[in-house]
Amino acid sequence: PALWNRLIQYAHQAFPGKLTYDLNWSSLYYPLPSWLHNRFLSAIGVSVYVPLTETPQRLNPNSLPALWQTTIGTLLDRSAAQIGKPILLSELGYRDSADALYDPWEISTGAPSDQVEQAAAYNAALSSVMRDPHIAGVFAWAWEFPPFDLRCRLAAQVLHHWFTAGTGTLGDGYKQS
């Protein structure tokens, strides 16, 4: 912890703006390191690829907002409370596939393309985080990288809706991305 605290202090001296540290989502299931409480860290980034299903299957889009909130939203909120800092979703991405919510970090899948499932996954995430006071911001990952590509897709329309609807406020000093 002392070395991490020293590194964060040096980074702050070189750059006095907002500093974040990015955790992989799997780290949230373990005790978080004490240096995450460092006063120079403004937020903790999380690459959010938490699976919502244990098998490769298409989930009912209507069930996803509640499932996302109970599975991922509560995990993020608990972590934010434990650290005492807001969470920045530094990576959020879903494949354009019928199994988008199974191992969402995987690039390849044998499942058929499914824009509706991809859009529903983003909608579930954003319907939770845009109203969550513990979330400082969110970055959609891999705009132009198949199979996560969002260009001219239903998922892009979902992001446009949530980022222009004025339905939520993201933390002080952060921009919706």
Side-chain angles (χ1 to χ4, degrees):
L3 292 174
W4 276 106
N5 282 317
R6 192 171 325 138
L7 177 63
I8 294 165
Q9 182 177 356
Y10 289 153
H12 175 72
Q13 289 170 348
F15 176 75
K18 293 181 182 285
L19 295 176
T20 63
Y21 178 83
D22 183 59
L23 293 170
N24 188 44
W25 63 272
S26 59
S27 299
L28 301 180
Y29 293 100
Y30 300 100
L32 295 173
S34 61
W35 55 266
L36 290 177
H37 295 278
N38 187 296
R39 66 186 173 103
F40 296 124
L41 289 176
S42 301
I44 303 303
V46 178
S47 298
V48 182
Y49 295 101
V50 180
L52 291 181
T53 179
E54 294 180 11
T55 59
Q57 62 177 312
R58 185 176 197 280
L59 298 177
N60 179 342
N62 295 328
S63 69
L64 295 184
L67 181 60
W68 204 96
Q69 179 55 39
T70 58
T71 305
I72 302 171
T74 56
L75 177 64
L76 296 172
D77 288 346
R78 184 180 71 228
S79 300
Q82 182 183 356
I83 300 165
K85 299 181 187 306
I87 300 291
L88 174 68
L89 277 62
S90 48
E91 289 185 31
L92 178 68
Y94 294 103
R95 291 184 304 270
D96 172 10
S97 65
D99 64 353
L101 297 163
Y102 171 73
D103 293 348
W105 62 87
E106 291 289 342
I107 294 172
S108 61
T109 178
S113 179
D114 189 339
Q115 283 194 45
V116 172
E117 190 75 350
Q118 182 188 38
Y122 275 106
N123 186 61
L126 294 172
S127 69
S128 177
V129 302
M130 294 302 271
R131 294 183 176 103
D132 191 331
H134 298 109
I135 304 298
V138 57
F139 291 90
W141 186 78
W143 260 130
E144 299 180 359
F145 181 74
F148 298 92
D149 192 348
L150 295 171
R151 295 169 299 162
C152 302
R153 305 285 178 136
L154 294 174
Q157 294 174 26
V158 169
L159 268 69
H160 180 265
H161 165 76
W162 282 106
F163 285 118
T164 61
T167 55
T169 339
L170 295 177
D172 181 40
Y174 290 89
K175 295 198 183 265
Q176 300 174 4
S177 304

